[in-house]
Amino acid sequence: MIDVQEISKSYRLIQALQGVSFGVEAGEIVGLLGPNGAGKTTLIRILTGYLHPDDGVVKVNGLDVLTDKSQTQAQMGYLPESAPLYPELSVQDYLVMIAQLRQLPEDQWIAQLSEAVYATGLADHLTRPIGELSRGYRQRVGLAQAILHRPKLLILDEPTVGLDPTQVVEIRRLIRRLAEHSTILFSTHILSEVEALCDRVIILMNGRVRADARLSDLASSPD
């Protein structure tokens, strides 16, 4: 589903990514783990086509993200660390706007909106302004817009950052449910997040991949 080959990216004198390579198979939940400043967000922005690398190739489902940007973005759902929400809009109006931006056929709106709302537990909040929701429910709205078009791939950047412990548990449960239908790559700086959701982790430090292994293999390693 994802094929990353020798990606590098610098910001003037700062080398954010250096020769990053990895793959993600369809159906996997993979955690991208690393401290703040490791290059996780830069990598995710490149994967989603919002940032160009200096070197390297990224393919999603066999398509080059740079040369087939619109086709690859149509296959993925993306939740950035700060979800692009409009606090003055109701949940329903916001999701309808996203359906229009995604150019979903109008005869599919009801079915796909219903699926996204049900999956994220937003049915009782459709008429509420987004600005009145808790941070946890705003994250749910962000996830709803990411899955509205039934993507094959979900990319989530720090999906539980800033949430209280109860909200973290709720979002983790939601991600597990979404994984029944989508491949998921999510970034985090919290090891327990990866342990709770993933069988596999990619550890990124100082812009380089330091480990790419199943958690069971890392746990049994003598190092």
Side-chain angles (χ1 to χ4, degrees):
M1 179 59 71
I2 301 176
D3 182 21
V4 176
Q5 296 293 332
E6 295 295 325
I7 289 295
S8 294
K9 179 66 179 179
S10 62
Y11 300 97
R12 295 187 178 179
L13 299 178
I14 299 174
Q15 189 73 37
L17 297 172
Q18 304 177 60
V20 172
S21 298
F22 64 90
V24 176
E25 297 295 328
E28 284 192 296
I29 308 180
V30 177
L32 183 62
L33 177 66
N36 292 330
K40 302 188 302 297
T41 295
T42 294
L43 178 56
I44 281 179
R45 288 175 179 170
I46 290 172
L47 292 177
T48 52
Y50 292 97
L51 188 65
H52 282 215
D54 297 331
D55 295 294
V57 176
V58 178
K59 292 186 178 181
V60 171
N61 205 20
L63 297 174
D64 190 299
V65 170
L66 295 182
T67 59
D68 300 295
K69 184 175 178 179
S70 60
Q71 289 179 277
T72 54
Q73 288 182 337
Q75 297 184 52
M76 67 175 70
Y78 173 37
L79 176 63
E81 185 174 344
S82 298
L85 305 178
Y86 294 85
E88 70 279 6
L89 294 181
S90 70
V91 172
Q92 179 173 287
D93 288 343
Y94 173 73
L95 293 178
V96 168
M97 180 187 73
I98 295 299
Q100 293 171 328
L101 291 173
R102 284 282 184 183
Q103 298 182 331
L104 300 182
E106 288 191 34
D107 59 354
Q108 297 179 19
W109 281 13
I110 293 177
Q112 294 185 231
L113 283 167
S114 297
E115 283 181 18
V117 166
Y118 175 77
T120 52
L122 289 168
D124 294 333
H125 302 274
L126 285 176
T127 59
R128 291 187 63 187
I130 293 172
E132 295 181 1
L133 299 177
S134 68
R135 184 174 177 86
Y137 271 95
R138 290 199 298 273
Q139 282 295 81
R140 288 172 181 259
V141 176
L143 283 167
Q145 66 81 24
I147 66 173
L148 185 59
H149 57 300
R150 299 170 178 163
K152 297 178 181 179
L153 172 65
L154 271 176
I155 298 180
L156 314 175
D157 191 3
E158 300 274 4
T160 63
V161 67
L163 303 184
D164 65 38
T166 300
Q167 293 169 336
V168 168
V169 171
E170 292 174 350
I171 294 299
R172 285 177 181 174
R173 288 174 180 165
L174 176 53
I175 290 173
R176 287 193 200 99
R177 290 200 301 271
L178 296 175
E180 295 174 4
H181 305 287
S182 300
T183 303
I184 295 180
L185 174 71
F186 74 92
S187 74
T188 181
H189 61 277
I190 304 170
L191 177 59
S192 60
E193 196 91 320
V194 173
E195 292 173 329
L197 291 168
C198 303
D199 290 322
R200 180 176 161 220
V201 61
I202 298 168
I203 298 176
L204 194 67
M205 295 185 68
N206 298 320
R208 295 181 181 272
V209 173
R210 299 300 184 183
D212 181 353
R214 300 183 71 82
L215 289 179
S216 56
D217 295 336
L218 289 176
S220 61
S221 173
D223 299 327

